Structure formats: C-alpha cells, structure tokens
C-alpha cells in the first residue's frame, strides 16, 4: 500500500499535469546566419553498435560523432573508468571527432582492448553520451584433437552423431559432409539438429560409411574447420524390429523456452522410431500464428518470426508412426528488452518559457526509467527550482539563461537498455532578419503577390507590416500576414506600389527590413501572327506587335517548329514582324513569336504553308476537295543504340492538305503482342526521327500521317528492333503503409508497368523501421505488390521505402514515406455530454474530450448519435432512426451545434470518439426536448367540386405540426392575368378542414394560400389556384359566342363561301358552250351543226375540258392568233393570271356587224362582270 507520502506525491503529480500548459518549443530555422551564432549543447549523430564484434586481422574503429556549438570535445570511458588515450600509442582519435582508431602494426593483441566503451561529447552547454559499446574480438578456435572410435549400431536403432563445434564469436555455422566434400543427404529420417548434431531416427544398412564429418564455418574469418570423421558400422539382421516413437531431442515430456520480443523463436522436436515418425505441432488453447510460422527441417523445427507477447504459451509436438505416438510440451515465455513508446526530443526554449521532456518505454519486465543530466544522475545534481522530475517526465517552468544541459533517459531491464540524449537549450536572441535587405519586387498587375520577410528571435518576436512607413499594421482586407512573416497581397494594383516595412519586435529588441514593390503592366501580344499560305518564291510576313510596361525592356524571339530560328541574310526581323522572302519548301512549318520581360512572357503561333504555282490554277487544285494523306512508305531503322534508334520514312501524297503531324506507334511481342500503342508525335516536316525506347523490349514501328482532314492508314510495320536489358529506372508508385488489423501494417504499392520492367525476374526490395526510433532497417524481397508486417504496436508510425530490382541490377530507391500500423478501438469515451441553448430546430452540444493517445489511431471526429424518441404532440408516431453528426475539435472545451431538429420533440443522444476504423464506447446518454415551432404545410389542399357560383375547399392537418395546432389561416385573392386582387383572410379552428366560398361572379378566378398555426406562428404555406373543370369550358364557350367580334367573323366567312359557290356555278354553266378556237377563220368541222339562231354547238372531246385553251397557252406550243383580246370580253381590259393565261372562258368573235349589234348586251353581261372581279 502507498504511504501518506506516496499519496501526496501522486496527488501533486496529477495536479501539475492537470494545470500544465506547455508552450510550443521554438523551431530554429536552418539558416546559416542563425546556425553560425546559435549556441547549442552537443548531440550524438553517429556511434558504433552496442554489441560490437571486430575482426582481429583489422584495425579497431569505434565510432563516435557529435555536433554542437561550440564544437564538442570528446572523452572515453572503458569498463566504467576514464580511458587515457594519450598514454596508449596504438590509440588515436580523429580530428573534430570522437572516433577511436586502434592499430596493431607495431604489435599488440586486439584481445587486450576488449571491454565496454562509452563516448562523452562535451561543450560549455552540456555533455552527451553514446551507448555503452561492448567490444569483443571475433574468435575461431580450432577443433580439439580427438580420436573417434567407430560407431557400431544395430539396424533400425536410433543414433546421434555429436558435433560439439568449438565455441566461436559469433557462433559458427555447422553442416555435415563426407570426404568428397558432398553434403550428407538429409530427409525425414536423417537430419541435423539446431545444436549441430546429426540425428538418425533409425539406422539403415546403407548408412554405413567411414566419413561422417561435422564442419564449422566462421563468418568473420571466412574459414571452415572440419572435425575428425566418424566411422559408422551397421549390424544387420534378417528382420528389423519396428519400434514406437521416442524423442531424441528434447528429452522428457516437457521443457521450457524463453525468447525476446521481435526475435525469432525456434522449437525443435526430433524423434526416433521405425517406421520413421511424423512430427506435428500444436499450440494449446489457440491456433498457430499462420502468417508468422514456418516449418523447417522436415517439420522437425517450428520457426516463428517477429515474436510478440501473444506468441507465449504451451506448444506441443507430437511424433507418431503406425505403432503409436508420443508428445512433448514446450512452455514458451516471451520477454522484451526495453523499446520506445515516446522518445525524448531536443527542446529549445526562450527565457521564462515552459516545456517538458517525456521518456516512455515498455518491456517485460517493465523497464526502470532513470534520468541523467550531462551524464550524472539527476538526483545527485544541484537542485533547480525550474525543473521537476515526475517519473518518466521532466517539467520545466520559467527557465532561465544558464540552465541549458543535455538530459539522458535510460530505460533498462534484465534484457537490455535504451539510452536517449535530449538537450534543453535556453536561448535568448534579439530579433533578426534572415532575408536580403531592401529587396525590389516587380509583379504583374492583378496577380497574387507575396512579400517575404523571414525572421527569427528568442523569444519569438511579433511581426507587423507597414506601407510607406505610415499607418497601422497591414492585415485584413486584401492583405494577409502569415505566421512565417510573409505578406500576401491578394490582387496587386497600381496603388499598391510603394515601400513595405516589416518590423519584428520582442522584449530583447527590434529588427526591420524593407521591400519595395513595383506593379507593372502585363506583357502581351496585341497583333498575333496568322496562318497563311505562300507561293514558292514569294514573300511571307508574320506580325507580332507587342504591348508592355514602358519600364520593362522586352525581347522578341522567333522559333520554327519549337527550334530557334536562325536569322541571316534572307530572314529579317523588326520590332513588329518577321519577313521571309523567296519562300521555299524548307520554310514551311509552325512559327512562334515569344516576347519576354524579366517577370512575364507571352507567345503566339501560326503555320506557314508553301504552295506550288500550280496550286493557283482553279481547274487543278480547287476542283478537288482535300483528302486524307496516303500512308508513309519504306520505313527504315538506323543508328541503333541501347535505348534509341533512328526511324526514317517517305511521306505519302498529302492530297491537297499539308501533313501537319506524324504519329509513330509501336508494338511489342512480350507483354501485349498485337496491340499497337502510341509512342510519340512529330511535326509534319520531319521524316527522320530518333525514337527514345525502353530496355528489354522487342519493338516494331509504324507511322500514321495526319493533315487537316484526318489520319492516313498506318504504314507497313518496320523490321523488329530489340533493346538490351537494364536495371529498372522507375520507382514503384503509390507506396503506402496502413494497418488492416490492430497489430499489423500492410505495405502496398503499384507494380511497375510492363514497359518499366527493363529486364526479367522483376522483384521489389522493401524496407521499413519504426519512425524516429533509430533502429536498423528491416527488409524483405518479394515479387508481389504487398507485404504485411505482423505484431506491430497499435498505430505507430513507420518509415517505408521501396526499390525495384531485376536480373540486371537495382533501380533507384524511393523517397521515405510514413505509414501507420493498424488502429484499435479507442479506449476512452467522451464524458460530461450535455446540451444548452435548445430552441425549436437546434441545440448547442458540449462535452469533455478524450486524451488523443486513447484514440489508438488517427483521430477522425467526435461522432454524435441522436434520434427522435417521440413527439410531444399526443398520438403522433415518429421515426426513431438514428442519425449522426461529426465534430472535429481538439480544443480543451469542445462544443458544436446540432441543427435540423424537429420542433416540439423529445430527443436522445450519445457521443463516441472515432478513428479511421473504430469507435469508442459511448458517452453518457442525454435527453432533451426541442421547443415549439411553426408547423409544416397541410398534408393536402384541394378543390373537390365547383359549381357556377361556389368553390369547395378541403385540407388535412400537417404531418408534422411541430407544436399544438391552434387553427388555420386561409388567404385568397382574385387573379386576372398578371393582376392580383386585394387579399382576403379567413381563420379556422384546429378541427375545421373544409370551407365553401361563394363566387360573386362565375368567371372570377382565385389564388389560395393555406397555412397551419401554432402559438409560435404560421407555418409553411400550401398555395393552390382555381382548377379547370369541364363545366368551366362550357361556360367559356357560351361567353365567346356572345362576343361581337366572333359574330362578325362568322358572317364574313359565310359571305366568302357564298361568293365562291356562285363563281363555281357560273364557270360550270358557260364553259362548254363557248370554247376558244385556235384560229378565228378555221372552217367548221363536218360534224358541226348550226342552231336555228345562227350559233354553233360543238360536240367534241374538248367539251369536258373548258380550260383547254388556257393550258395550251401555258405550254407555249400554239402559234399566236390574230385575235386580239380586245375583241373578247368587255372592251380591251382582258383579265390575266400572273403567268399570262386568261381567266375563265371567253366567247368566239363574230362578224363585225354581229358584234356591233350585240355589243350592248355583251357589255352588260353579269358574267363578264364576275370574271372581271375574279
């Protein structure tokens, strides 16, 4: 139990952590001006490994590098005592370094320098320590001399040939061979154990040999030592007795094994018996971790990689044959050397600031945390009122100058230790400007502009901007000041020109710098070159007129087909144009004018097409439309290289439209044979290009010509060209690390494209390590696109990189990316969930946050689950569907607004904290009620029937009354086109849902607006207009028929119809009696008969064609008669249609006397009058 002192210390610690507010540490910019003057304690940057084994044939080098200002000095301890380097002539220390070099040219034994070394880097601000480096010399002792008697064994019996290799450092690798240096065959019956011994489950007659030799290979010396060979004699018998399984290794029915976390576990069971037993493995109380387990040595060895705590337990191996079985239990304990949870980092503070160092580690057993300052225990250092040690945390309050030091955190248990250095540097530095002085910035008008003012000081100064040395600081409006000192002008205008001053101010002083801003007019081409065609031998001219700021000098450059244009005696350039005299075919192409100032540029392009003189002949060139070009011909490959080849072709006919582009395609026969892919495009004036190719591809090419009409058919393929292989050039894309389970991390990437392989046997090297842990990289080689790391801690960052490799070598390594292991369920729930300021549709939500480390993953949001429990309106059934709303907040007292609530309802809610995969347990539940609001629109609103003088309205109560209904209100007004009448209002009780309106005039239309009412007010309006019924259409028809304009229209139509009927009747009655004769003096046909009154009646086929004479006149085939139109009809006013034909029929001309005698009657004929009107 804790004593009173323990309780008091624990309470004090909790109080301090509760009240602690940590100031953000200062980030020192990596600016040479700052670093040159910055005084900092030493930091170890390089050191040898803790367990350091060296080759006795080489000099010994023990590394120790450190940085600091002033430059650190170095000293060493050996076996805990000061190591006087100066007294040993074999030991030297490198200049400006602590690295030791021990040489043996003048004699001496490396074994004399074995021991534990520790480096100390010291300057006036503190002392940094290296790890304790255990130096040992590699040993490869000889095999002891021994005389081995022949081994005699009965056939079928088990046998163990002992190896007992000499103890080496590091331990040797053992293997068995015969005198011919051939490995001893191993199988299910004969195999080597982990200790190097050779085990026979049962001996057969064929095992009798005289040269079973155990060999030991020593890694450092690269030597192999051989034990004297065994001679094995086998006594045979006619019948070999079978036997049940027994264990050769391990012995007994159970054993134990201890393994450290992250190491590999090797369990072995070797059994004797005849027939040879089969080995099987189990884990009691669970399954074997499938992804980490490997069975080796013919199932006799169980191997588990990257051991974690859950791999502890009882493992059972079972050996069985047809005579029986036997088991052995191995109890595995998993311990752990210390490993970092939160490694302390350097802390730079200004005077009177606060800070803290945290050192958290885990292990099994739990490691002991010890703090040191400058290599000495904190407990024995002089007291410091501004420093307080609370277990794994040191808190600094109001630090002062002179208290800079290097702190060491040592986390240790019986299996190892961790040592980390972290300095606390108390820095006071007057404000200073880091950028160039009095800089001139020129910008283009209306562009976004940034004025930089890098600065530093400790404590961190406050920065303000001023314009022309006047007014208050610039911030807001079109100005924005960033935390790094940069001033943003969102849109630079002419009035923004001037001198801007940035002033950095702190309690230690002031520093300032000036930036002069000039706003310039944009450079632009106001008359651009235009596409043109020129006859060969003529002159072509391209315009390029430029407008720019008068104070900015500009240069104008011309290019042809993206290549600089060589101006000489023929091509001439002036300020506003380019002239090309005596145009020839080589001048054809795309011309680009580029104008540049010191701060911007503009460009414009146009194509010149060169025409033959024949093109001016319309009969040749204009008669045929342009067409697609013919395919290129005669593809040829030359100039072969490792990754390129020259392709040449002959262009086909362009069919009156110049070729603008050539498209080169390729096909390869390894990955996608038969599929043509685009390689590159080239200007239309080229027919020989160098193709850039990928290694290890068997290419063939084809070319397509393109003009303004379209593409040609592809050319015939070229001969094949195979490029040689090479190491990959590409880095796998999409590298990421993420956890699919709480204790793993999946590393995935996009495999290289087929054309990026560059060679056969493509695989990937993947490296990973804990971020900021300082540990060595782990790596794996795989042909897939995923690798899973198991037994990780929950949501810890890893550094990951990848490299592609094939048979020709390794490609470039990727940049290091950060991935995270899997997430687990958050352990803590938000607390003290409550609401405030509840109105009808929203409420303010408050809660107490969780510690971010309890989220056990990426913090996503506080997720609020809420649902409508019931309505306060009696009898109203509501949906209790749960809804969610997320709040992202990391402040100490978070809150949010929950909106879109239904008024006059009872709600329930709870909150969880969520990471990317899981949610925490729920918070406390909360119930609250929303206030009354205005109701929704009525459920329906319709007009059921309409008479000539009434309208009947019906409606139903709203689906969501949002409170207690107190009634309805109906507003309505007359509608006449776009004009609205005066509004009228009717109110109804809550139980009234219909209303009959009497119409003063049956033709009046109404527009209605209905809404429900609560105590809060009127709700959503339901608008409706008078409907159109069939009886209304009848009424409308009666109204139209009584209108004067309608009656007049009907009368006019009747009169026109009557006149048309009279005309038709007269035409029918006169048309057959008086046909027109072709000639006035033609004799009568014999069939003509003369009437008694002297008139003639003609009976012919034309009697039924009264308009025949008019039709022949239209045809124009009848010779013009001597008859005059004046002789027919009424005087000389003959009537014509627009085409010159006569209107209707006219009578035959009579003798002059007859005509005169009948003149009066003919002139007054009503028929002629009608024809004249017609």
């Amino acid at each position: 139990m804790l004593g009173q002192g323990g309780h008091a210390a624990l309470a004090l610690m909790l109080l301090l952590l509760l009240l602690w507010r940590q100031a953000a540490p200062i980030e020192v910019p990596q600016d040479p001006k700052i670093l040159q003057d910055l005084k900092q304690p030493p930091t170890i940057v390089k050191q040898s490994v803790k367990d350091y084994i060296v080759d006795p044939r080489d000099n010994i080098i023990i590394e120790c590098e450190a940085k600091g200002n002033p430059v650190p000095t170095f000293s060493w301890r050996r076996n805990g005592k000061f190591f006087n380097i100066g007294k040993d002539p074999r030991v030297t220390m490198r200049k400006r370094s602590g690295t030791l070099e021990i040489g043996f040219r003048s004699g001496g034994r490396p074994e004399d320098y074995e021991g534990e070394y520790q480096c100390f880097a010291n300057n006036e601000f503190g002392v940094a320590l290296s790890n304790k480096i255990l130096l040992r010399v590699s040993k490869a002792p000889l095999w002891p001399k021994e005389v081995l008697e022949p081994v005699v064994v009965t056939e079928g019996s088990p046998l163990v040939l002992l190896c007992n290799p000499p103890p080496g450092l590091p331990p040797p690798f053992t293997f068995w061979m015969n005198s011919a240096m051939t490995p001893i065959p191993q199988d299910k019956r004969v195999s080597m154990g982990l200790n190097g011994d050779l085990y026979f489950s049962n001996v057969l007659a064929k095992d009798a040999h005289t040269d079973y030799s155990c060999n030991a290979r020593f890694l450092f010396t690269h030597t192999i030592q051989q034990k004297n060979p065994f001679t094995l004699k086998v006594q045979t018998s006619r019948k070999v007795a079978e036997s049940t399984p027994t264990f050769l290794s391990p012995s007994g029915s159970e054993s134990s094994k201890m393994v450290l976390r992250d190491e590999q576990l090797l369990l072995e069971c070797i059994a004797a018996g005849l027939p040879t037993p089969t080995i099987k493995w189990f884990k009691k109380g669970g399954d074997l971790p499938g992804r980490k387990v490997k069975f080796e040595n013919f199932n006799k060895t169980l191997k588990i990689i990257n051991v974690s705590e859950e791999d502890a337990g009882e493992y059972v191996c079972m050996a069985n044959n047809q005579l029986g079985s036997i088991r052995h239990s191995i109890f595995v304990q998993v311990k752990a050397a210390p490993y970092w949870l939160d490694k302390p980092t350097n802390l730079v503070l200004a005077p009177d600031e606060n800070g803290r160092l945290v050192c958290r580690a885990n292990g099994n057993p739990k490691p002991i945390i010890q703090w040191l300052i400058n290599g000495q225990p904190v407990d024995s250092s002089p007291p410091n009122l501004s420093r307080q040690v609370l277990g794994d945390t040191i808190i600094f309050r109001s630090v002062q100058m002179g208290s800079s030091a290097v702190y060491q955190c040592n986390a240790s248990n019986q299996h190892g230790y961790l040592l980390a250095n972290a300095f606390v540097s108390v820095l006071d530095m007057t404000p200073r400007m880091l950028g160039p002085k009095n800089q001139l910035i020129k910008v283009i008008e209306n562009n976004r502009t940034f004025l930089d003012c890098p600065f530093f000081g400790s404590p961190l100064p406050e920065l303000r901007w001023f314009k022309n040395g006047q007014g208050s600081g610039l911030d807001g409006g079109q100005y924005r000041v960033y935390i790094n000192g940069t001033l943003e002008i969102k849109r630079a205008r002419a009035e923004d020109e001037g001198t801007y001053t940035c002033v950095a101010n702190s309690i230690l002083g002031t520093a300032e710098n000036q930036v002069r801003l000039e706003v310039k007019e944009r450079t632009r081409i106001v008359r651009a070159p235009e596409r043109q065609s020129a006859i060969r031998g003529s002159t072509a001219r391209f315009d390029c007129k430029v407008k720019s700021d008068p104070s900015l000098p500009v240069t104008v450059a011309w290019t042809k087909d993206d290549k600089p244009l060589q101006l000489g005696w023929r091509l001439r350039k002036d300020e506003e144009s380019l002239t090309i005299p005596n145009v020839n075919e080589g001048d054809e192409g795309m011309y680009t004018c580029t104008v540049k100032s010191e701060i911007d540029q503009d460009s414009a392009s146009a194509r010149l097409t060169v025409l033959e003189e024949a093109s001016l002949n319309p009969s040749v060139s204009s008669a045929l439309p342009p067409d697609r070009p013919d395919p290129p011909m005669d593809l040829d490959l030359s100039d072969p290289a490792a990754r390129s080849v020259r392709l040449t072709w002959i262009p086909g006919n362009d069919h009156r439209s110049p070729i603008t582009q050539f498209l080169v395609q390729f096909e390869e026969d390894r990955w996608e044979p038969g599929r043509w892919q685009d390689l590159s495009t080239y200007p239309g004036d080229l027919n020989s290009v160098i193709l850039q190719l990928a290694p290890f591809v068997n290419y063939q090419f084809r070319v397509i010509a393109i003009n303004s009409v379209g593409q040609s058919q592809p050319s015939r393929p070229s001969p094949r060209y195979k490029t040689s292989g090479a190491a990959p050039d590409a880095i796998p894309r999409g590298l990421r690390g993420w956890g699919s389970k709480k204790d793993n991390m999946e590393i995935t990437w996009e495999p290289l494209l087929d054309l990026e392989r560059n060679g056969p046997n493509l695989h990937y090297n993947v490296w990973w390590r804990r971020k900021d842990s300082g540990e060595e990289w782990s790596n794996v080689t795989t042909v897939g696109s995923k690798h899973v790391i198991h037994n990780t801690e929950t949501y810890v960052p890893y550094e990951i990189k990848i490299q592609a490799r094939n048979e020709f070598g390794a490609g470039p390594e990727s940049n290091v990316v950060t991935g995270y292991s899997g997430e687990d369920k958050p352990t803590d729930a938000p607390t003290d969930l409550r609401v405030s300021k509840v109105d009808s549709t929203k409420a303010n939500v408050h809660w107490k946050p969780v510690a971010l480390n309890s989220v056990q993953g990426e913090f996503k949001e506080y997720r609020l689950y809420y649902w409508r429990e019931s309505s306060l309106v009696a009898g109203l059934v509501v949906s209790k569907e749960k809804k969610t709303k997320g709040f992202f907040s990391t402040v100490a007292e978070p809150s949010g607004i929950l909106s879109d609530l239904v008024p006059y309802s009872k709600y329930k809610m709870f909150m969880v904290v969520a990471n990317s995969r899981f949610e925490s347990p729920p918070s406390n539940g909360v119930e609250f009620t929303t206030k009354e609001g205005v109701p929704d629109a009525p459920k329906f609103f319709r007009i059921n029937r309409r008479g000539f003088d009434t309208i009947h309205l019906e409606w139903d109560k709203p689906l969501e009354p949002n409170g207690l209904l107190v009634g309805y209100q109906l507003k309505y007004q007359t509608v006449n086109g776009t004009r609205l009448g005066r509004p009228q209002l009717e109110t109804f009780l809550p139980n009234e849902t219909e209303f009959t309106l009497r119409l003063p005039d049956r033709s009046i239309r109404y527009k209605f607006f209905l809404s429900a009412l609560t105590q809060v007010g009127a709700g959503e309006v339901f608008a409706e207009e008078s409907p159109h019924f069939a009886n209304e259409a009848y009424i409308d028809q009666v109204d139209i028929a009584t209108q004067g304009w309608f009656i007049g229209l009907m009368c006019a139509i009747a009169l026109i119809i009557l006149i048309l009927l009279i005309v038709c009747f007269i035409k029918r009655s006169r048309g057959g009696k008086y046909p027109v004769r072709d000639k006035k003096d033609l004799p009568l046909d014999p069939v003509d008969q003369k009437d008694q009154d002297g008139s003639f009646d003609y009976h012919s086929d034309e009697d039924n064609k009264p308009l025949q004479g008019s039709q022949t006149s239209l045809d124009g085939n009848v010779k013009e008669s001597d008859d005059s139109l004046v002789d027919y009809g009424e005087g000389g006013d003959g009537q014509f249609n627009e085409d010159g034909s006569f209107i209707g029929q006219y009578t035959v001309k009579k003798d002059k006397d007859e005509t005169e005698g009948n003149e009066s009657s003919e002139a007054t004929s009503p028929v002629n009058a009608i024809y004249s009107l017609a």
Side-chain angles (χ1 to χ4, degrees), residues 47-55 58-64 76 94 99-102 110 113-117 131-139 169-170 220 417:
Q47 56 183 319
S48 296
V49 296
K50 293 179 183 178
D51 193 5
Y52 188 28
I53 300 175
V54 296
D55 192 326
D58 298 332
N59 291 340
I60 297 174
I61 298 177
I62 311 175
E63 291 185 317
C64 179
W76 286 84
R94 293 178 181 173
T99 299
L100 296 181
E101 294 189 15
I102 307 174
Y113 291 89
E114 289 185 325
E116 187 179 71
Y117 291 79
N131 291 323
K132 293 181 178 179
I133 302 166
L134 179 60
L135 176 67
R136 295 184 292 172
V137 177
S138 174
K139 297 177 177 61
L169 185 66
F220 269 73
Y417 75 94

Side-chain angles (χ1 to χ4, degrees), residues 74-150:
F74 296 87
S75 61
W76 286 84
R77 288 184 185 175
R78 180 183 173 202
N79 298 327
K81 297 179 181 180
F82 175 72
F83 184 34
N84 193 339
I85 299 170
K87 288 187 177 182
D88 192 332
R90 297 189 186 91
V91 182
T92 58
M93 184 185 295
R94 293 178 181 173
K95 291 183 179 181
R96 302 180 67 86
S97 167
T99 299
L100 296 181
E101 294 189 15
I102 307 174
F104 301 99
R105 288 185 178 179
S106 58
R109 298 173 60 251
E111 290 79 1
D112 296 338
Y113 291 89
E114 289 185 325
E116 187 179 71
Y117 291 79
Q118 189 170 27
C119 174
F120 292 74
N122 174 60
N123 68 12
E124 60 185 271
F125 297 105
V127 180
L129 279 63
S130 73
N131 291 323
K132 293 181 178 179
I133 302 166
L134 179 60
L135 176 67
R136 295 184 292 172
V137 177
S138 174
K139 297 177 177 61
L142 297 175
W143 224 297
K145 297 293 183 180
E146 56 183 341
V147 177
L148 300 178
E149 297 293 332

Side-chain angles (χ1 to χ4, degrees), residues 748-788:
T748 59
W749 59 93
E750 297 177 16
L752 294 189
L753 302 177
D754 293 336
L755 293 180
E756 295 174 336
R757 291 172 171 260
N758 291 5
N761 191 24
L762 178 70
H763 50 279
Y764 302 95
N765 295 334
V766 185
W767 291 271
W768 69 92
R769 68 179 179 188
R770 280 278 297 272
K771 188 175 182 181
D772 300 328
S773 66
E775 63 186 29
E776 295 296 321
W777 289 95
S778 300
N779 71 294
V780 71
T781 300
T782 178
V783 297
S785 60
K786 181 173 78 170
H787 177 69
V788 182

Side-chain angles (χ1 to χ4, degrees), residues 863-912:
R863 190 169 295 155
L864 184 71
Y865 285 87
Y866 65 98
W867 66 94
R868 189 182 180 195
E869 182 68 21
S870 62
S871 173
L872 299 182
V873 178
L876 184 64
V877 179
V878 301
S879 170
K880 297 185 179 182
E881 179 186 0
K882 284 185 180 178
K883 299 180 179 179
T884 63
K885 183 166 184 179
F887 301 95
F888 184 88
S889 177
T890 57
V891 299
E893 297 182 359
S895 64
I897 297 177
L898 181 62
S899 55
D900 297 329
L901 302 176
V902 180
Y904 210 56
S905 300
K906 179 180 178 182
Y907 277 87
K908 290 185 177 181
M909 67 181 184
F910 64 84
M911 178 176 279
V912 297

Side-chain angles (χ1 to χ4, degrees), residues 324-491:
S325 64
I326 188 173
R327 295 178 177 231
H328 183 92
S329 295
I330 305 175
F331 295 91
V332 174
Q333 283 185 308
V334 178
K335 302 293 184 178
Y339 56 91
W340 289 119
L341 298 177
D342 199 347
K343 186 178 179 181
T345 56
N346 296 333
L347 192 62
V348 179
L349 300 173
D352 292 323
E353 282 190 343
N354 302 331
R356 65 176 176 175
L357 293 176
V358 178
C359 176
R360 295 177 58 238
N362 200 5
N364 186 8
K366 184 78 173 176
I368 298 172
I369 303 295
Q370 179 189 17
W371 285 100
L372 299 93
I373 177 172
N374 296 329
Q376 301 297 324
V378 170
D379 298 339
S380 61
S381 64
N384 187 339
L385 296 178
S386 65
R387 179 185 68 218
Q388 185 172 14
V389 180
L390 297 174
D392 58 9
T393 303
I394 300 181
I395 295 178
F396 301 93
R397 291 186 298 274
S398 300
V399 295
Q400 300 301 317
M401 295 300 300
S403 57
S404 297
V406 183
Y407 289 82
Q408 288 83 30
C409 173
N410 185 299
S412 60
N413 64 13
Q414 65 196 62
H415 304 294
Y417 75 94
L418 294 172
L419 179 68
N421 292 276
F423 66 69
V424 176
S425 179
V426 182
L427 177 65
D428 63 340
M429 183 176 289
T430 58
R432 57 183 65 192
M433 294 296 168
L434 306 181
K437 294 286 186 180
N438 302 321
Q439 192 175 9
L440 171 62
I441 303 294
K442 298 178 182 180
V443 299
I444 296 301
E445 191 174 13
N446 295 325
N447 278 5
R448 192 178 181 193
T449 302
F450 295 93
L451 304 183
D452 294 327
C453 182
F455 68 100
F456 181 69
S458 179
L460 193 65
E462 177 186 4
L463 186 91
R464 300 179 70 188
W465 280 89
F466 301 90
K467 182 183 177 185
N468 296 331
Q470 299 176 359
S472 58
L474 300 176
D475 200 1
Q478 74 158 345
Y479 297 106
R480 180 183 177 186
V481 179
Y482 291 86
I483 192 171
N484 65 352
T486 297
L487 173 67
E488 176 191 355
I489 304 175
K490 296 178 182 177
R491 188 175 179 183

Side-chain angles (χ1 to χ4, degrees), residues 1048-1096:
L1049 178 63
M1050 293 297 102
C1051 291
I1053 293 173
L1055 181 60
I1056 292 171
I1057 293 173
L1058 180 61
I1059 293 172
L1060 291 176
L1061 290 174
I1062 293 172
V1063 171
C1064 291
F1065 173 73
I1066 293 173
K1067 288 172 68 175
R1068 294 284 294 177
S1069 64
R1070 292 184 59 85
K1073 217 145 165 118
Y1074 304 104
V1076 177
R1077 303 286 297 185
D1078 290 343
K1079 292 276 188 177
K1080 66 176 181 178
D1081 295 330
L1082 285 178
L1084 298 177
D1085 290 337
V1087 295
D1088 290 349
Q1089 297 178 7
K1090 186 177 183 180
D1091 289 337
Q1092 294 179 358
D1093 57 2
S1095 65
F1096 294 92

Side-chain angles (χ1 to χ4, degrees), residues 239-291:
K239 185 175 181 181
V240 179
E242 295 184 339
S243 59
T244 58
T246 58
F247 280 115
L248 298 176
S249 175
S251 58
S253 61
E254 62 181 44
S255 58
S256 62
K257 179 86 171 182
M258 191 275 288
V259 65
L260 292 181
R261 182 180 185 269
D262 291 331
E263 294 185 354
Q264 69 178 16
L265 172 64
L266 293 172
L267 302 179
E268 181 180 63
C269 278
I270 300 177
L274 185 66
T276 303
T278 299
I279 304 294
K280 293 184 179 180
W281 291 90
F282 307 94
K283 184 180 181 183
K284 214 164 188 180
D287 296 330
L288 293 172
R291 295 185 178 181

